[in-house]
Amino acid sequence: MAVEYDCCGVEFFVHVAIIVVLVLFAGLMSGLTLGLMSLSLVDLEVLAKSGTLQDRKHAAKILPVVKKQHLLLCTLLICNSAAMEALPIFLDSLVTAWGAILISVTLILLFGEIIPQSVCSRHGLAIGATVAPVVRVLVWICFPVAYPISKLLDYMLGDGHVALFRRAELKTLVKLHGNEAGKGGELTHDETTIIAGALELTEKTARNSMTPLCQTFAIDVNRNLDRILMREILDKGHSRVPVFYEKKTNIIGVILVKNLLSIHPDDEIPVKNVTIRKIPRVTEDMPLYDILNEFQKGHSHMAIVVKKNNLTENNSLDGDLSLDIDVDQKPIDKVVKITKPLHRWKSYPNSQISSRGNRVRRWSRDSTANVLHINDTDLQPFNEYEEAIGIITMEDVIEELLQEEIFDETDVHEDQ
């Protein structure tokens, strides 16, 4: 039976104050459960490093509190349950039993759940940072009960909730942040396109972006640089021309067209007598990021895409130009005598050391390190365990990154 109190007595107001405190405390715990637990560690780290000044301060205060998420969750739920269980006890001393149930349900539902969770869902970061010291105290108070339960949850569910997006999800998120999506995003169309292209670059291989060998222009190493050949090179408008021996699938190097400026067509100099540079060889299934890294080495901005044939030899194509051919062991497979380059050549003629951001690049003046030294007696068919199937250039990789065609001065295209 409920005990009746004088509505003007001190004890009555004490009970009313306790009820108000319990409702507010339960509402705070309920709101923090939603507000703090909805903030992942990744979100908080992003805000702490690149958010606004106010967000960085709030995130720095909250991060130590939410680092152990299961312990925090158990603490908030224990405090919330204790407040809600204690509320009917104090109400029962003021009103009848059915009145206590009705009032407690109404107070908890309205002031302990709906309003706090609505507010904390929108301002959870600021509220969480403000009451972070209080939450720390509650964690220590509830530690004997909350810690064993949290360790059990860590064992059963894992001690961390990964909130990182997968590649496809991240692409969708970037598109939603574009100003074309109409959701208030700040990214332009070009920015979202480039980011999406960068995310797709790992999934694309050399075969997806190469130019098939049948569509490329290449010259035989045994031809002479007469007027006909020089005219063909000029009409193509390329800055680099692949060189093959005997058949087009046997690409042995590349010549720079600018090196032909000093050659007179009437001299009909053999192609093998001009400067022929080494060209990287990459497998058809090599990701474009790996190919981009090969191009960054500075050996060449063009590479040969090769396909391995299912034969007995265990060849490895790493695309690196620092390759030694053992004449004694493989006399049939060699095309040319290749000397191992002593330096990695980078095209920075105006300075010995150039830096961009955190990268430091060194430039060597040994521009002959990547030049083939051809001996007539050593020109034999390339090994049969691999064959060239296409050409891939730096421009092809950049087009995949930009997801748009790059037209230079010699490209011919029709406006749709």
Side-chain angles (χ1 to χ4, degrees), residues 12-26:
F12 173 81
F13 289 103
V14 171
H15 280 71
V16 172
I18 294 176
I19 292 172
V20 173
V21 171
L22 289 176
V23 172
L24 295 178
F25 183 75

Side-chain angles (χ1 to χ4, degrees), residues 255-305:
I255 60 173
L256 302 181
V257 176
K258 65 180 181 180
N259 292 340
L260 306 180
L261 293 176
S262 60
I263 297 177
H264 197 281
D266 294 336
D267 296 336
E268 297 188 358
I269 297 176
V271 173
K272 59 187 176 183
N273 289 348
V274 301
T275 301
I276 300 178
R277 297 188 174 274
K278 306 171 190 177
I279 185 170
R281 305 175 71 84
V282 300
T283 55
E284 58 181 339
D285 58 349
M286 179 177 286
L288 292 187
Y289 267 125
D290 296 338
I291 297 177
L292 184 61
N293 291 332
E294 287 296 326
F295 288 148
Q296 286 180 325
K297 294 179 181 179
H299 299 304
S300 175
H301 287 176
M302 175 185 293
I304 300 297
V305 182

Side-chain angles (χ1 to χ4, degrees), residues 219-221 223-225 229 243 269-274 276:
I219 58 178
D220 193 343
V221 70
R223 288 190 63 177
N224 294 330
L225 290 168
L229 181 57
V243 178
I269 297 176
V271 173
K272 59 187 176 183
N273 289 348
V274 301
I276 300 178

Side-chain angles (χ1 to χ4, degrees), residues 15 36 51 63 77-78 91 96 120 123 142 217 300 303 346 357:
H15 280 71
L36 293 181
L63 264 174
L77 291 180
I78 290 174
L91 281 174
T96 59
C120 289
H123 306 287
C142 301
F217 173 69
S300 175
K346 292 286 185 179

Side-chain angles (χ1 to χ4, degrees), residues 40-52:
S40 67
L41 295 178
V42 176
D43 295 333
L44 291 174
E45 289 178 0
V46 171
L47 290 175
K49 294 179 181 179
S50 58
T52 62

Side-chain angles (χ1 to χ4, degrees), residues 25 29 33 70-85 138-139 141-150:
F25 183 75
M29 295 299 102
T33 303
H70 284 153
L71 180 60
L72 175 63
L73 177 64
C74 292
T75 300
L76 295 178
L77 291 180
I78 290 174
C79 294
N80 185 39
S81 300
M84 289 190 296
E85 292 296 331
L138 294 176
V139 169
I141 294 175
C142 301
F143 188 82
V145 179
Y147 181 75
I149 301 175
S150 66

